[in-house]
Structure formats: structure tokens, C-alpha cells
Amino acid sequence: MSDLHHHDPRATVRAAGEFTVIDRATRGRAQPASVLLGPGDDAAIVRIDGGATVACLDMLVEHRHFRTDWSSGHDIGRKAIAQNAADLCAMGAVPVTFLVGLACPPDTPTSFTDALSDGLWAEAARFGAGISGGDLVQGRDITVSVTALGQMEGRDAITRSGARPGDVVALAGATGRSAAGLHLLEHGSAPASAAEEECIAVHRVPCPPYASALAAARAGASSMIDISDGLLSDLGHIARASSVTIDIDLGSWQPCSTVLAVAGAHQVDPWGWALDGGEDHAFAGTFGPRAPLPEGWSRIGTVSEGGPGVLVAGKPAAARGWTSWT
């Protein structure tokens, strides 16, 4: 019998942490032969009728992932699709369709659910995809659960475990804008500049550089990940899965201009947002040392032997990104 059934009944998921809970749920479980890649990456890969289908699921819970006084139903719908589509694209998969589950109180205005649906469809339409099913239930808080299905178009999936010593680490998109936008919203700051408006907008609706992720897959990236929990945290997943050390080179990379502007105006360290802020849904990847980087990608570091771990300018870095149950 697994350790799952031999634990302190007083233990909590907060004390255990998200990844310990996942390990307890999956350790010792046998996957059927049709599961080509199970838990542990941005998405699962399943063989169906001889072809590979890539699948993932994410949830947005009111008061934890969004507030309706900060974000419209349309914003929330787009965000729900974007965070799932980004996971598929991080594997090199093109989204095909989405399934949506919605829990909400009975007094939720239909104007909200209409706007939510419009947002879901608008973001799915960026791939020519749609919403092909789902479920509606009553709940205390609004919860949006999205399952995304994608296809590899004949390519091999890009996983977290492919980074090799000598590879170049690169970034597509910007990190830190969502965290900056959250800071402004939490402090009740009305946007005082275009940079602040941009950061708030990105927090409400992320703008993953989908095309850059798919270009990386076509160019043969050795590993890739969606930056949802923070750059350091997510690079740590690649380092552990690949048994390597990743070193971020601050000399060749700095936070984007909007993050620098907002941080300067509010006397905040921009590196905290850029390295640990989540929900931008940029992409980090690794590429062979002589491979040209695809359009939209910038070098931010290197991969070396040892570890696993993440260094910043050659020094160990403690990730302080998003964690569940904090």
C-alpha cells in the first residue's frame, strides 16, 4: 500500500506543498500504454487512434486568481483560455479545442456569463479553435476550469527534460508585467502612465507569445516551459527534469522597459517582479549552442553540468514565485 494511506491525519496541503501533494497522488501509479507522457510537464500526451493528443487543465478561482471588481467577465474568459493554450504551446502543440467547466452562485448575472463566454471564444479564435463542451454547476465562488486539447502536427513534443550542458537559455516575451499590475491593483493605484496601464492590462489578460513558442518547437528547442509561476521557479522545473544547472546572465538581459518604469515610480526592485512574478505566460526554452534563436527569442543564460539548480549571475537563487495554498 502506498504512503498516501499512511500519513498524519493532521497534515495539511499547505504544510506539504503543491508538488508534494502531486507526488503523493502519482507516486506508484501505473499509467496505461496509451499515456505517452504523464504528470510532470506543462501537459500530458496521450495516444488516441494512433495519433498524439496533448492535453492540459487549469482552473481560475474567484478571490484566488481573479477579482470581479478588477477584471471583467471577458478578461477572465480570455485569461482562462490563454493560460491553457500557453501550456500546450510550451509543448510545441497547436490548440485544437477547449472544454470549459463553470461553477458560480445562482445570483451571478447572466451579463457576466455572457461576457465570460465571449472572452473564452475570443481567445480560442486566435488558433481557429472553439469551445466544444463543458459543464455548469452551482458553487459558492466563481470557478472556471478549462481543459485544452492540442496536436503536434507530426513533431515530437518539447518537454522540460531535454536541456543539455552547453545549451543556450532564452526567453520569449516579457516577465514581471503581471506582477507589477497586481501590485498596482492591490495598492489601489490608478494608472498614472502608459507603462502602468500596460502592466494592469497584462495582469487582467496575459498575452502569451504563442507564435514564438511554436517557432521554437519547429526550430528544435531542446526544452521549453510556460512561465506561469515565475521565471526562477519555472526554470527550476527544467533544471530538475533535465538534471542540469541553469545560470541566468544579468549582463545580457534586464527587465522590460515597462517593468523598469513602474518599479522606478513605486520604488520597487524590478528584478523581484521579473524573476519571481508569475502569470505573464512568457516562454523560457533551451537551444543548442550553435542553433540560431527563432524570432522573438532573446538569450538570457546558459546550461551547464551539475545541479540541478538555478543560478543568477553565478550565484544560487531561491525562487519566490507562485505557490498554491499560501
Side-chain angles (χ1 to χ4, degrees):
M1 187 174 292
S2 77
D3 291 342
L4 185 67
H5 304 287
H6 296 279
H7 64 274
D8 183 347
R10 298 167 298 178
T12 66
V13 294
R14 174 183 291 176
E18 175 182 356
F19 297 105
T20 296
V21 172
I22 293 172
D23 178 67
R24 293 169 72 97
T26 58
R27 186 181 349 123
R29 312 292 189 184
Q31 297 285 353
S34 57
V35 177
L36 305 179
L37 181 67
D41 218 297
D42 284 80
I45 305 176
V46 182
R47 183 187 294 110
I48 299 176
D49 288 339
T53 297
V54 185
C56 65
L57 181 150
D58 265 312
M59 289 188 289
L60 289 176
V61 179
E62 186 180 12
H63 308 303
R64 180 59 172 167
H65 302 104
F66 66 86
R67 284 174 43 172
T68 55
D69 57 335
W70 288 353
S71 300
S72 68
H74 195 274
D75 292 338
I76 296 163
R78 285 192 59 196
K79 184 174 185 176
I81 293 294
Q83 66 182 23
N84 282 274
D87 280 337
L88 293 185
C89 290
M91 305 291 292
V94 177
V96 173
T97 193
F98 301 88
L99 306 172
V100 179
L102 173 64
C104 62
D107 59 354
T108 301
T110 54
S111 58
F112 173 86
T113 56
D114 288 344
L116 177 73
S117 296
D118 288 344
L120 292 164
W121 280 91
E123 193 68 19
R126 296 184 63 181
F127 302 95
I131 315 299
S132 56
D135 190 25
L136 295 173
V137 298
Q138 179 174 319
R140 185 181 64 181
D141 297 316
I142 299 170
T143 300
V144 184
S145 177
V146 173
T147 298
L149 302 175
Q151 60 185 0
M152 293 304 308
E153 298 183 331
R155 295 184 300 273
D156 291 333
I158 310 299
T159 67
R160 301 175 181 180
S161 60
R164 297 292 179 263
D167 280 357
V168 169
V169 182
L171 180 70
T175 61
R177 292 183 299 173
S178 180
L182 177 61
H183 174 89
L184 294 169
L185 289 167
E186 287 180 332
H187 288 79
S189 302
S193 66
E196 293 187 359
E197 289 179 353
E198 179 181 318
C199 289
I200 290 173
V202 169
H203 177 72
R204 288 172 172 153
V205 181
C207 302
Y210 302 122
S212 295
L214 296 176
R218 296 180 182 116
S222 54
S223 70
M224 188 158 49
I225 193 168
D226 162 42
I227 307 299
S228 56
D229 297 336
L231 181 62
L232 292 182
S233 292
D234 289 318
L235 285 177
H237 295 320
I238 290 180
R240 284 186 291 275
S242 301
S243 299
V244 296
T245 291
I246 290 176
D247 191 353
I248 297 176
D249 178 9
L250 300 186
S252 62
W253 174 67
Q254 66 174 4
C256 69
S257 59
T258 51
V259 168
L260 290 172
V262 174
H266 292 266
Q267 299 182 327
V268 174
D269 178 12
W271 284 106
W273 288 340
L275 293 172
D276 289 308
E279 291 199 316
D280 284 286
H281 297 289
F283 297 96
T286 57
F287 299 82
R290 288 175 293 278
L293 293 179
E295 184 177 354
W297 288 82
S298 300
R299 181 188 181 279
I300 65 170
T302 55
V303 180
S304 60
E305 295 181 352
V310 178
L311 310 177
V312 175
K315 298 180 180 179
R320 295 180 293 274
W322 170 268
T323 57
S324 297
W325 303 305
T326 56

